[in-house]
Amino acid sequence: MTSKPHESLDPDARPQRRTFTAEFKARILDEYESAPDAAARGAILRRERLYGSHLLDWRKARDAGAAAGLTDRRQSAARAAKKAENAELSRLQRENARLQAELNKTQTALSIMGKAHALLELLSESA
C-alpha cells in the first residue's frame, strides 16, 4: 500500500476560521428555536453549515449575559481600537521614515551646494 504525499503544503492553503457576529448568532438562535420540528432545525444547521454545538455554546452565552455573551471576545471593542491604534502607529512610522529620508537628501544637497559655492568663490578670487 503506497501513501500519497500531501497534495499541498502551502500554508496559505489552510482554511480560515469562520467568525460570526452577535446579530447572526441571535438570528440563527431565534430561527432555530422557532422551527416546528427536528427536520426543520436540521435543515437550518445544514443550510448555515453549523453544528449543534455552535448553538449550545451560543445559547449558553446568550442566557449568561444576553447580547454581551454573543459577542466574540477576540473581536472586542478594545481589540478593535488597539488594532486601529496599531495601524495608525505603523502609518505614522512609515511617514516618519519617509520624511527622514527626504530630510537626509535635502541636507546632502545643501551641503553639496555650499561646497560648490565655496569652490566657485575660490576660483573667482584666483582668476
Side-chain angles (χ1 to χ4, degrees):
M1 189 167 152
T2 61
S3 63
K4 290 169 88 177
H6 291 299
E7 293 178 15
S8 174
L9 297 178
D10 182 18
D12 293 333
R14 296 182 67 202
Q16 294 292 321
R17 180 181 296 262
R18 293 190 301 166
T19 57
F20 306 102
T21 64
E23 294 80 22
F24 175 81
K25 292 175 184 180
R27 181 178 60 82
I28 294 299
L29 279 172
D30 291 341
E31 185 179 351
Y32 184 83
E33 290 171 349
S34 65
D37 59 356
R41 289 190 292 270
I44 293 169
L45 292 177
R46 284 189 301 276
R47 180 189 73 215
E48 300 295 337
R49 295 186 335 226
L50 296 172
Y51 293 101
S53 61
H54 285 118
L55 296 178
L56 291 174
D57 293 341
W58 296 350
R59 189 179 295 124
K60 200 181 302 181
R62 181 195 60 193
D63 294 344
L70 292 176
T71 59
D72 189 356
R73 289 184 303 272
R74 294 172 295 162
Q75 298 298 325
S76 66
R79 184 171 180 175
K82 192 170 189 175
K83 187 176 181 181
E85 191 176 292
N86 286 341
E88 177 71 8
L89 178 63
S90 64
R91 184 190 67 78
L92 290 172
Q93 287 173 338
R94 285 191 309 269
E95 183 179 0
N96 188 17
R98 181 186 59 80
L99 291 173
Q100 286 290 338
E102 189 176 324
L103 176 64
N104 288 339
K105 286 180 191 177
T106 303
Q107 288 175 338
T108 303
L110 285 174
S111 173
I112 292 170
M113 290 299 290
K115 291 176 184 178
H117 181 67
L119 179 63
L120 287 175
E121 280 186 5
L122 189 66
L123 289 175
S124 67
E125 288 175 1
S126 66

